[in-house]
Amino acid sequence: MDGKDTLRQVKDKLNEAIFNGKVPKYLNQQCREMMSAEESTLDLIGFKHGTDKASLIYDEDGLQLSHDYLRHYDFLFDRFRNDEIILLEFGCYRGESLRMWKEYFPKAEIYGVDVDETAAQYEEERIHIIIGDATWVETFDVLKNLFDGRRPFIIIDDASHAWGDQRITFEMFWFMLEPGGFYVIEDLECGSMGAYSKEHPPRVQDSQPFFKYVQSMCSFLRWSPRRRDIISRERDFHDLPLLAKRIQVTLDACYFVPGAIVMKKHPLNPPWE
């Protein structure tokens, strides 16, 4: 499937929404922009597959605004589009985003992790499903064995959305991430109980918003590489827990977008990895 096929399918989907009278007036402009697109972007591919990561989503209630993460991801990921990477996503739902990633990265191996055993049905060529909890060390070990020395270049946490779970998962899997790769955390607004507390209660409850946790981890980024040797000798940094120091010194950049955070790992592999 090429970009023209994607554009045709997106335009058919939008035409259907227009024909059925399911396009709110306030979305007319955004709908027209999608219709006039001349190349296949990540946002268009996401809209085609029906993932809520796209800027718009079309469901039984009609065309609606969605999370709008993909415009930002496209800006960061586009130059790696034809690389043979591993992409790991926590939280599969109905497999929409896994299929989107498969189309966007035609040479990538896509791994999805979910606690729901029914997610296994979304496995197909280049999409691998692992049943497990992202906060479990056992899940980490299973993935490490599967990758057999390779590392994921992109990790996306779209699982429980609970702050504590996001923190525990990040502190484990950041060190599995390939140097130069990206770690994405979505739906930051959901809180200590996450988004699915009745069906899947959080493994770790945490009163600290994950957004603020990441801000504290970004403190090292305030210093240019020229001055980092100075701050690394200061008492405030010296007194940080070892884990926090190891995360801070391997963090190369951080991108805050509405509802999500993208953290880029430094391309140089630290000696302890």
Side-chain angles (χ1 to χ4, degrees):
M1 181 174 295
D2 59 23
K4 290 182 180 178
D5 292 325
T6 297
L7 289 173
R8 191 177 301 113
Q9 289 173 309
V10 167
K11 291 177 181 181
D12 286 347
K13 205 170 185 179
L14 289 170
N15 276 323
E16 178 189 347
I18 293 167
F19 180 79
N20 292 330
K22 291 192 171 184
V23 179
K25 287 184 178 179
Y26 73 95
L27 292 180
N28 281 344
Q29 179 61 33
Q30 199 161 348
C31 186
R32 282 195 294 270
E33 288 178 5
M34 271 196 172
M35 292 284 285
S36 64
E38 296 182 357
E39 61 179 348
S40 181
T41 63
L42 180 58
D43 191 39
L44 290 172
I45 296 171
F47 175 76
K48 185 193 86 172
H49 286 285
T51 173
D52 64 2
K53 299 181 195 295
S55 58
L56 296 174
I57 191 167
Y58 181 40
D59 58 21
E60 63 275 6
D61 297 319
L63 200 67
Q64 301 178 59
L65 287 173
S66 199
H67 289 309
D68 194 18
Y69 299 147
L70 301 181
R71 291 185 301 113
H72 305 287
Y73 299 168
D74 204 5
F75 174 76
L76 296 169
F77 300 160
D78 180 65
R79 66 191 178 100
F80 307 106
R81 197 163 175 175
N82 289 304
D83 290 1
E84 297 180 4
I85 65 169
I86 293 174
L87 184 146
L88 171 62
E89 179 158 20
F90 300 118
C92 299
Y93 192 42
R94 293 178 300 206
E96 299 98 335
S97 65
L98 299 177
R99 292 186 287 272
M100 171 194 72
W101 293 124
K102 176 182 173 180
E103 182 174 341
Y104 184 72
F105 292 112
K107 298 178 183 177
E109 293 294 322
I110 313 299
Y111 289 81
V113 176
D114 205 290
V115 295
D116 188 344
E117 293 183 0
T118 64
Q121 66 186 295
Y122 306 123
E123 189 159 272
E124 57 184 67
E125 184 184 4
R126 291 199 297 113
I127 294 179
H128 316 276
I129 303 296
I130 294 88
I131 303 303
D133 192 299
T135 64
W136 290 348
V137 174
E138 291 86 350
T139 303
F140 179 94
D141 291 339
V142 166
L143 288 165
K144 186 176 180 181
N145 290 332
L146 272 176
F147 296 152
D148 191 25
R150 300 171 300 157
R151 293 169 178 254
F153 186 73
I154 297 172
I155 298 177
I156 301 157
D157 186 345
D158 189 17
S160 75
H161 311 332
W163 294 333
D165 290 357
Q166 289 171 335
R167 178 176 55 83
I168 292 297
T169 303
F170 171 73
E171 289 177 352
M172 273 199 298
F173 284 92
W174 175 256
F175 299 104
M176 181 185 281
L177 184 68
E178 185 178 329
F182 298 88
Y183 193 107
V184 182
I185 308 99
E186 297 179 341
D187 301 319
L188 299 170
E189 68 275 13
C190 289
S192 61
M193 290 299 293
Y196 316 106
S197 54
K198 291 182 180 178
E199 302 90 343
H200 304 292
R203 300 294 177 183
V204 182
Q205 284 195 249
D206 194 336
S207 61
Q208 182 188 28
F210 189 79
F211 186 89
K212 291 188 175 180
Y213 166 82
V214 172
Q215 283 181 307
S216 68
M217 287 298 174
C218 287
S219 62
F220 209 53
L221 292 178
R222 293 176 299 138
W223 296 75
S224 71
R226 180 178 177 177
R227 297 190 177 93
R228 284 188 186 177
D229 186 53
I230 300 171
I231 188 65
S232 64
R233 295 197 301 267
E234 289 200 356
R235 183 170 182 80
D236 288 346
F237 184 79
H238 180 74
D239 289 344
L240 286 175
L242 179 61
L243 179 67
K245 286 191 284 190
R246 286 187 168 181
I247 292 172
Q248 285 199 17
V249 298
T250 52
L251 182 59
D252 192 36
C254 189
Y255 307 89
F256 293 88
V257 303
I261 292 172
V262 183
M263 305 176 79
K264 184 176 183 295
K265 194 172 184 181
H266 199 281
L268 296 179
N269 211 9
W272 59 80
E273 290 192 23

Coordinates of all heavy atoms in Angstrom, one line a residue, residues 28-102:
N28 N -15.2 22.0 9.8 CA -15.2 22.1 8.3 C -13.8 22.4 7.8 O -13.4 21.8 6.8 CB -16.2 23.1 7.8 CG -17.6 22.6 7.9 OD1 -17.9 21.4 7.9 ND2 -18.6 23.5 7.8
Q29 N -13.1 23.4 8.4 CA -11.8 23.8 7.9 C -10.8 22.6 8.0 O -10.1 22.4 7.0 CB -11.3 25.0 8.7 CG -9.9 25.5 8.3 CD -9.9 25.9 6.8 OE1 -10.9 26.4 6.3 NE2 -8.7 25.8 6.2
Q30 N -10.8 21.9 9.1 CA -9.8 20.8 9.3 C -10.2 19.7 8.3 O -9.3 19.1 7.8 CB -9.9 20.3 10.7 CG -8.7 19.5 11.1 CD -8.5 19.4 12.6 OE1 -9.2 20.1 13.4 NE2 -7.6 18.6 13.1
C31 N -11.4 19.5 8.1 CA -11.9 18.5 7.1 C -11.4 18.8 5.7 O -10.9 18.0 5.0 CB -13.4 18.3 7.2 SG -14.0 17.0 6.2
R32 N -11.5 20.1 5.3 CA -11.1 20.5 4.0 C -9.5 20.4 3.9 O -9.0 20.0 2.8 CB -11.5 22.0 3.8 CG -12.9 22.2 3.4 CD -13.2 23.6 2.8 NE -13.0 24.6 3.8 CZ -13.9 25.1 4.6 NH1 -15.2 24.6 4.5 NH2 -13.7 26.0 5.5
E33 N -8.8 20.7 4.9 CA -7.3 20.5 4.9 C -6.9 19.1 4.7 O -6.0 18.8 3.9 CB -6.7 21.1 6.2 CG -6.8 22.6 6.3 CD -6.2 23.1 7.6 OE1 -5.7 22.3 8.4 OE2 -6.3 24.3 7.8
M34 N -7.6 18.2 5.3 CA -7.3 16.7 5.1 C -7.7 16.3 3.7 O -6.9 15.6 3.1 CB -8.1 15.9 6.1 CG -7.5 15.6 7.4 SD -8.2 14.2 8.3 CE -7.1 14.0 9.7
M35 N -8.8 16.8 3.2 CA -9.2 16.5 1.8 C -8.2 17.0 0.8 O -8.1 16.4 -0.3 CB -10.6 17.1 1.5 CG -11.7 16.4 2.4 SD -12.2 14.8 1.8 CE -13.1 15.2 0.3
S36 N -7.6 18.1 1.1 CA -6.6 18.7 0.1 C -5.2 18.2 0.2 O -4.3 18.6 -0.5 CB -6.7 20.2 0.2 OG -6.2 20.6 1.5
A37 N -5.0 17.3 1.1 CA -3.6 16.8 1.4 C -3.1 16.1 0.1 O -3.8 15.4 -0.6 CB -3.6 15.8 2.5
E38 N -1.8 16.3 -0.1 CA -1.1 15.7 -1.3 C -0.1 14.6 -1.0 O 0.5 14.0 -1.9 CB -0.5 16.8 -2.2 CG -1.5 17.8 -2.7 CD -0.8 18.9 -3.6 OE1 0.5 18.9 -3.6 OE2 -1.5 19.8 -4.1
E39 N 0.1 14.4 0.3 CA 1.0 13.4 0.7 C 0.5 12.7 1.9 O -0.3 13.3 2.7 CB 2.4 13.9 1.0 CG 2.5 15.0 2.1 CD 3.9 15.5 2.3 OE1 4.9 14.8 1.7 OE2 4.1 16.4 3.0
S40 N 1.0 11.5 2.1 CA 0.5 10.6 3.2 C 1.3 10.9 4.5 O 2.4 10.5 4.6 CB 0.5 9.2 2.8 OG 0.0 8.4 3.9
T41 N 0.7 11.6 5.4 CA 1.3 11.9 6.7 C 0.9 10.9 7.7 O -0.1 10.1 7.6 CB 0.9 13.3 7.2 OG1 -0.5 13.3 7.5 CG2 1.3 14.4 6.2
L42 N 1.6 10.9 8.9 CA 1.2 10.0 10.0 C -0.2 10.3 10.4 O -1.0 9.4 10.8 CB 2.2 10.1 11.1 CG 2.0 9.3 12.3 CD1 2.0 7.8 12.0 CD2 3.1 9.5 13.4
D43 N -0.6 11.6 10.5 CA -1.9 11.9 10.9 C -3.0 11.3 10.0 O -4.0 10.8 10.5 CB -2.1 13.4 11.0 CG -3.4 13.9 11.7 OD1 -3.7 13.2 12.7 OD2 -4.0 14.8 11.3
L44 N -2.8 11.4 8.7 CA -3.7 10.8 7.7 C -3.8 9.3 7.9 O -4.9 8.7 7.8 CB -3.3 11.2 6.3 CG -3.5 12.7 6.0 CD1 -2.9 13.0 4.6 CD2 -5.0 13.1 6.0
I45 N -2.6 8.7 8.1 CA -2.6 7.2 8.2 C -3.4 6.8 9.5 O -4.1 5.9 9.5 CB -1.2 6.7 8.2 CG1 -0.5 6.9 6.9 CG2 -1.1 5.2 8.6 CD1 1.0 6.6 6.9
G46 N -3.1 7.6 10.6 CA -3.8 7.3 11.8 C -5.3 7.5 11.7 O -6.1 6.7 12.3
F47 N -5.7 8.6 11.0 CA -7.2 8.8 10.8 C -7.8 7.6 10.0 O -8.9 7.1 10.3 CB -7.4 10.1 10.1 CG -8.8 10.4 9.7 CD1 -9.7 10.8 10.7 CD2 -9.3 10.2 8.4 CE1 -11.1 11.0 10.4 CE2 -10.6 10.4 8.1 CZ -11.5 10.8 9.1
K48 N -7.1 7.2 9.0 CA -7.6 6.0 8.2 C -7.8 4.8 9.0 O -8.8 4.1 8.9 CB -6.5 5.7 7.1 CG -7.0 4.7 6.1 CD -5.9 4.1 5.2 CE -5.2 3.0 5.9 NZ -4.2 2.3 5.0
H49 N -6.9 4.5 10.0 CA -7.0 3.3 10.8 C -7.9 3.5 12.0 O -8.2 2.6 12.7 CB -5.6 2.9 11.3 CG -4.8 2.2 10.2 ND1 -5.0 1.0 9.7 CD2 -3.8 2.7 9.4 CE1 -4.2 0.7 8.7 NE2 -3.4 1.7 8.5
G50 N -8.3 4.8 12.3 CA -9.3 5.0 13.3 C -8.7 5.1 14.7 O -9.4 4.9 15.7
T51 N -7.4 5.4 14.8 CA -6.8 5.6 16.2 C -7.1 7.0 16.7 O -7.1 8.0 16.0 CB -5.3 5.4 16.1 OG1 -4.7 5.7 17.4 CG2 -4.6 6.2 15.1
D52 N -7.3 7.0 18.0 CA -7.6 8.3 18.7 C -6.3 9.2 18.8 O -6.4 10.3 19.4 CB -8.3 8.2 20.0 CG -7.5 7.4 21.0 OD1 -6.3 7.1 20.8 OD2 -8.0 7.2 22.2
K53 N -5.2 8.7 18.4 CA -4.0 9.5 18.4 C -4.0 10.6 17.3 O -3.3 11.6 17.3 CB -2.7 8.7 18.2 CG -2.5 7.6 19.2 CD -1.2 6.8 18.9 CE -1.1 5.5 19.7 NZ -1.0 5.7 21.1
A54 N -4.9 10.4 16.3 CA -5.0 11.4 15.2 C -5.6 12.7 15.6 O -6.2 12.8 16.7 CB -5.7 10.7 14.0
S55 N -5.6 13.6 14.7 CA -6.2 14.9 15.0 C -7.8 14.8 15.0 O -8.5 15.6 15.7 CB -5.8 16.0 14.0 OG -6.0 15.6 12.7
L56 N -8.3 13.9 14.1 CA -9.7 13.7 14.0 C -10.0 12.2 14.1 O -9.2 11.4 13.7 CB -10.2 14.3 12.6 CG -10.1 15.8 12.4 CD1 -10.6 16.1 10.9 CD2 -11.0 16.6 13.3
I57 N -11.2 11.9 14.5 CA -11.6 10.5 14.5 C -13.1 10.5 14.0 O -13.9 11.3 14.3 CB -11.5 9.9 15.9 CG1 -11.7 8.4 15.9 CG2 -12.4 10.5 16.9 CD1 -11.2 7.7 17.1
Y58 N -13.4 9.4 13.3 CA -14.7 9.3 12.7 C -15.3 8.0 13.3 O -14.9 6.9 13.0 CB -14.7 9.2 11.2 CG -16.0 9.1 10.5 CD1 -17.1 9.8 10.9 CD2 -16.2 8.3 9.4 CE1 -18.3 9.6 10.3 CE2 -17.4 8.1 8.7 CZ -18.5 8.8 9.2 OH -19.7 8.7 8.6
D59 N -16.4 8.2 14.1 CA -17.0 7.0 14.7 C -18.5 7.1 14.5 O -19.0 7.9 13.6 CB -16.7 6.9 16.2 CG -17.1 8.1 17.0 OD1 -17.9 8.9 16.5 OD2 -16.5 8.3 18.1
E60 N -19.3 6.3 15.2 CA -20.7 6.3 15.0 C -21.4 7.6 15.3 O -22.5 7.9 14.8 CB -21.4 5.2 15.8 CG -21.3 5.4 17.3 CD -19.9 4.8 17.9 OE1 -19.1 4.4 17.1 OE2 -19.8 4.8 19.1
D61 N -20.8 8.5 16.0 CA -21.3 9.8 16.3 C -20.9 10.9 15.3 O -21.3 12.0 15.4 CB -20.9 10.2 17.7 CG -21.4 9.3 18.8 OD1 -22.6 8.9 18.7 OD2 -20.7 9.0 19.8
G62 N -20.1 10.5 14.4 CA -19.6 11.4 13.3 C -18.1 11.8 13.5 O -17.4 11.2 14.3
L63 N -17.8 12.9 12.8 CA -16.4 13.3 12.9 C -16.2 14.2 14.2 O -17.0 15.0 14.5 CB -16.1 14.2 11.7 CG -14.6 14.4 11.3 CD1 -14.0 13.2 10.8 CD2 -14.5 15.5 10.2
Q64 N -15.1 13.9 14.9 CA -14.8 14.5 16.1 C -13.4 14.9 16.3 O -12.5 14.2 15.7 CB -15.2 13.6 17.3 CG -16.7 13.2 17.3 CD -17.0 12.3 18.5 OE1 -16.8 12.6 19.6 NE2 -17.4 11.1 18.2
L65 N -13.1 15.9 17.1 CA -11.7 16.1 17.5 C -11.2 15.0 18.3 O -11.9 14.3 19.1 CB -11.6 17.4 18.3 CG -11.8 18.7 17.6 CD1 -11.9 19.9 18.7 CD2 -10.7 19.0 16.6
S66 N -9.9 14.7 18.1 CA -9.2 13.6 18.9 C -8.0 14.1 19.5 O -7.8 15.4 19.7 CB -8.9 12.4 17.9 OG -8.7 11.3 18.7
H67 N -7.1 13.3 20.0 CA -5.9 13.7 20.8 C -4.9 14.6 20.0 O -4.3 15.4 20.6 CB -5.2 12.5 21.4 CG -6.0 11.8 22.5 ND1 -6.5 12.5 23.5 CD2 -6.3 10.5 22.6 CE1 -7.1 11.6 24.3 NE2 -7.0 10.4 23.8
D68 N -4.8 14.3 18.7 CA -3.9 15.2 17.9 C -2.4 15.1 18.3 O -1.7 16.1 18.4 CB -4.4 16.6 17.9 CG -3.7 17.5 16.8 OD1 -3.2 16.9 15.9 OD2 -3.7 18.7 16.9
Y69 N -2.0 13.8 18.5 CA -0.6 13.6 18.8 C 0.3 13.4 17.6 O 1.5 13.7 17.6 CB -0.4 12.3 19.7 CG -1.1 12.3 21.0 CD1 -1.6 11.1 21.5 CD2 -1.2 13.5 21.8 CE1 -2.2 11.1 22.8 CE2 -1.8 13.4 23.0 CZ -2.3 12.2 23.5 OH -2.9 12.2 24.7
L70 N -0.3 13.0 16.5 CA 0.4 12.4 15.4 C 1.2 13.5 14.6 O 2.2 13.2 14.0 CB -0.5 11.6 14.5 CG -1.1 10.4 15.1 CD1 -2.0 9.6 14.2 CD2 -0.1 9.5 15.8
R71 N 0.6 14.7 14.5 CA 1.3 15.8 13.8 C 2.7 16.0 14.4 O 3.7 16.2 13.7 CB 0.5 17.1 13.9 CG -0.7 17.1 13.1 CD -1.4 18.5 13.1 NE -1.7 18.9 14.4 CZ -1.1 20.0 15.1 NH1 -0.1 20.6 14.5 NH2 -1.5 20.3 16.3
H72 N 2.8 15.9 15.7 CA 4.0 16.1 16.5 C 5.0 15.0 16.3 O 6.2 15.1 16.1 CB 3.7 16.4 17.9 CG 2.8 17.5 18.2 ND1 3.1 18.8 18.0 CD2 1.4 17.5 18.6 CE1 2.0 19.6 18.3 NE2 1.0 18.8 18.6
Y73 N 4.4 13.7 16.4 CA 5.2 12.5 16.2 C 5.8 12.5 14.8 O 7.0 12.1 14.6 CB 4.4 11.3 16.4 CG 3.8 11.1 17.8 CD1 2.9 10.1 18.0 CD2 4.2 11.9 18.8 CE1 2.3 9.9 19.2 CE2 3.6 11.7 20.1 CZ 2.7 10.7 20.3 OH 2.1 10.5 21.5
D74 N 5.0 12.9 13.8 CA 5.5 12.9 12.4 C 6.7 13.8 12.2 O 7.7 13.5 11.5 CB 4.4 13.4 11.5 CG 4.5 12.9 10.0 OD1 5.4 12.1 9.8 OD2 3.7 13.3 9.2
F75 N 6.7 14.9 12.9 CA 7.8 15.9 12.8 C 9.1 15.2 13.3 O 10.2 15.5 12.8 CB 7.5 17.1 13.6 CG 8.6 18.1 13.8 CD1 8.9 19.0 12.7 CD2 9.3 18.2 14.9 CE1 10.0 19.9 12.8 CE2 10.4 19.1 15.1 CZ 10.7 19.9 14.0
L76 N 9.0 14.4 14.4 CA 10.1 13.8 15.0 C 10.6 12.5 14.3 O 11.8 12.1 14.3 CB 9.9 13.5 16.5 CG 9.6 14.7 17.3 CD1 9.1 14.3 18.7 CD2 10.9 15.5 17.5
F77 N 9.6 11.7 13.8 CA 9.9 10.3 13.3 C 10.1 10.2 11.8 O 10.5 9.2 11.3 CB 8.7 9.4 13.7 CG 8.5 9.3 15.2 CD1 7.3 8.8 15.7 CD2 9.5 9.7 16.1 CE1 7.1 8.7 17.1 CE2 9.3 9.6 17.5 CZ 8.0 9.1 18.0
D78 N 9.7 11.2 11.0 CA 9.6 11.1 9.6 C 10.9 10.6 9.0 O 11.0 9.8 8.1 CB 9.2 12.4 8.9 CG 9.1 12.3 7.4 OD1 8.2 11.5 6.9 OD2 9.9 13.0 6.8
R79 N 12.1 11.1 9.5 CA 13.3 10.8 8.8 C 13.8 9.3 9.1 O 14.7 8.9 8.5 CB 14.4 11.8 9.3 CG 14.8 11.8 10.7 CD 15.7 13.0 11.0 NE 16.1 13.1 12.4 CZ 17.3 12.7 12.9 NH1 18.2 12.2 12.1 NH2 17.5 12.8 14.2
F80 N 13.1 8.7 10.0 CA 13.4 7.3 10.3 C 12.4 6.3 9.7 O 12.4 5.1 10.0 CB 13.4 7.1 11.9 CG 14.2 8.0 12.6 CD1 13.7 9.0 13.4 CD2 15.6 7.9 12.6 CE1 14.5 9.9 14.1 CE2 16.4 8.8 13.3 CZ 15.9 9.8 14.0
R81 N 11.5 6.9 8.8 CA 10.4 6.1 8.3 C 10.8 4.8 7.6 O 10.0 3.8 7.7 CB 9.6 7.0 7.4 CG 8.2 6.6 7.1 CD 7.3 7.7 6.6 NE 6.0 7.2 6.2 CZ 5.1 8.0 5.7 NH1 5.3 9.3 5.7 NH2 3.9 7.5 5.4
N82 N 11.9 4.8 6.9 CA 12.3 3.6 6.2 C 13.4 2.8 6.9 O 14.0 2.0 6.2 CB 12.7 4.0 4.8 CG 11.5 4.4 3.9 OD1 10.5 3.7 3.8 ND2 11.6 5.6 3.4
D83 N 13.6 3.1 8.1 CA 14.6 2.4 8.9 C 14.1 1.1 9.4 O 12.8 0.9 9.7 CB 15.1 3.2 10.1 CG 16.0 4.4 9.6 OD1 16.1 4.6 8.4 OD2 16.5 5.2 10.5
E84 N 14.9 0.1 9.6 CA 14.5 -1.2 10.2 C 14.6 -1.1 11.7 O 15.5 -1.6 12.3 CB 15.4 -2.3 9.6 CG 15.3 -2.5 8.1 CD 16.2 -3.6 7.6 OE1 16.9 -4.3 8.4 OE2 16.3 -3.8 6.4
I85 N 13.5 -0.5 12.3 CA 13.5 -0.3 13.7 C 12.6 -1.3 14.4 O 11.8 -2.0 13.8 CB 13.1 1.1 14.1 CG1 11.6 1.4 13.6 CG2 14.0 2.2 13.4 CD1 11.0 2.7 14.1
I86 N 12.7 -1.3 15.7 CA 11.7 -2.0 16.6 C 10.8 -0.9 17.3 O 11.4 0.1 17.8 CB 12.3 -2.8 17.6 CG1 13.0 -4.0 17.0 CG2 11.3 -3.3 18.7 CD1 13.8 -4.9 18.0
L87 N 9.5 -1.0 17.2 CA 8.6 -0.1 17.9 C 7.8 -0.9 18.9 O 7.2 -1.9 18.5 CB 7.7 0.7 16.9 CG 6.8 1.7 17.5 CD1 6.6 2.9 16.5 CD2 5.4 1.1 17.9
L88 N 7.8 -0.4 20.1 CA 7.2 -1.1 21.2 C 6.1 -0.2 21.8 O 6.4 0.9 22.2 CB 8.2 -1.5 22.3 CG 7.7 -2.0 23.6 CD1 6.9 -3.3 23.4 CD2 8.8 -2.2 24.6
E89 N 4.8 -0.7 21.8 CA 3.7 0.1 22.4 C 3.0 -0.7 23.5 O 2.6 -1.8 23.3 CB 2.7 0.5 21.3 CG 1.6 1.3 21.8 CD 0.9 2.1 20.8 OE1 1.0 1.9 19.6 OE2 0.2 3.1 21.2
F90 N 2.8 0.0 24.6 CA 2.1 -0.6 25.7 C 0.6 -0.1 25.6 O 0.4 1.1 25.6 CB 2.7 -0.1 27.0 CG 4.1 -0.5 27.2 CD1 5.1 0.4 27.4 CD2 4.5 -1.9 27.3 CE1 6.4 0.0 27.6 CE2 5.8 -2.3 27.4 CZ 6.8 -1.3 27.6
G91 N -0.3 -1.0 25.5 CA -1.7 -0.7 25.4 C -2.1 -0.9 23.9 O -1.7 0.0 23.1
C92 N -2.8 -1.9 23.6 CA -3.2 -2.2 22.2 C -4.6 -1.8 21.8 O -4.9 -1.6 20.6 CB -3.0 -3.7 21.9 SG -1.4 -4.4 22.2
Y93 N -5.5 -1.8 22.8 CA -6.9 -1.5 22.5 C -7.4 -2.4 21.4 O -7.4 -3.6 21.6 CB -7.1 0.0 22.3 CG -8.6 0.4 22.3 CD1 -9.4 -0.1 23.3 CD2 -9.1 1.3 21.4 CE1 -10.8 0.3 23.4 CE2 -10.5 1.7 21.5 CZ -11.3 1.1 22.5 OH -12.6 1.5 22.5
R94 N -7.8 -1.9 20.3 CA -8.3 -2.7 19.2 C -7.3 -2.8 18.0 O -7.7 -3.2 16.9 CB -9.6 -2.2 18.7 CG -10.8 -2.3 19.7 CD -12.1 -1.7 19.2 NE -12.0 -0.3 18.9 CZ -13.0 0.5 19.0 NH1 -14.2 0.1 19.3 NH2 -12.9 1.8 18.6
G95 N -6.1 -2.5 18.3 CA -5.0 -2.7 17.3 C -4.9 -1.6 16.3 O -4.0 -1.7 15.4
E96 N -5.7 -0.5 16.4 CA -5.6 0.6 15.4 C -4.3 1.2 15.3 O -3.8 1.4 14.1 CB -6.7 1.7 15.7 CG -8.1 1.2 15.8 CD -8.6 0.9 17.2 OE1 -7.7 0.6 18.0 OE2 -9.8 1.0 17.4
S97 N -3.7 1.6 16.4 CA -2.4 2.3 16.3 C -1.3 1.3 15.9 O -0.3 1.7 15.2 CB -2.0 3.0 17.6 OG -1.8 2.0 18.6
L98 N -1.4 0.0 16.2 CA -0.3 -0.9 15.8 C -0.4 -1.0 14.2 O 0.7 -1.1 13.6 CB -0.6 -2.3 16.4 CG -0.6 -2.4 17.9 CD1 -0.9 -3.8 18.4 CD2 0.8 -2.0 18.4
R99 N -1.6 -1.1 13.7 CA -1.7 -1.1 12.2 C -1.2 0.2 11.5 O -0.6 0.2 10.5 CB -3.1 -1.4 11.8 CG -3.5 -2.9 12.2 CD -4.9 -3.2 11.6 NE -6.0 -2.6 12.4 CZ -6.6 -3.0 13.5 NH1 -6.1 -4.2 14.0 NH2 -7.5 -2.4 14.0
M100 N -1.4 1.3 12.2 CA -0.9 2.6 11.7 C 0.6 2.6 11.7 O 1.2 3.0 10.7 CB -1.4 3.7 12.6 CG -0.8 5.1 12.4 SD -1.1 6.3 13.7 CE -0.1 5.6 15.0
W101 N 1.2 2.1 12.8 CA 2.7 2.1 12.8 C 3.2 1.2 11.8 O 4.3 1.5 11.1 CB 3.2 1.7 14.2 CG 2.9 2.6 15.3 CD1 2.2 2.4 16.5 CD2 3.2 4.0 15.4 NE1 2.1 3.5 17.2 CE2 2.7 4.5 16.6 CE3 3.9 4.9 14.6 CZ2 2.9 5.8 17.0 CZ3 4.1 6.2 14.9 CH2 3.6 6.7 16.2
K102 N 2.6 0.1 11.5 CA 3.0 -0.9 10.5 C 3.1 -0.2 9.1 O 4.0 -0.4 8.4 CB 2.1 -2.1 10.5 CG 2.5 -3.1 9.4 CD 1.5 -4.3 9.5 CE 1.8 -5.2 8.3 NZ 0.9 -6.4 8.2

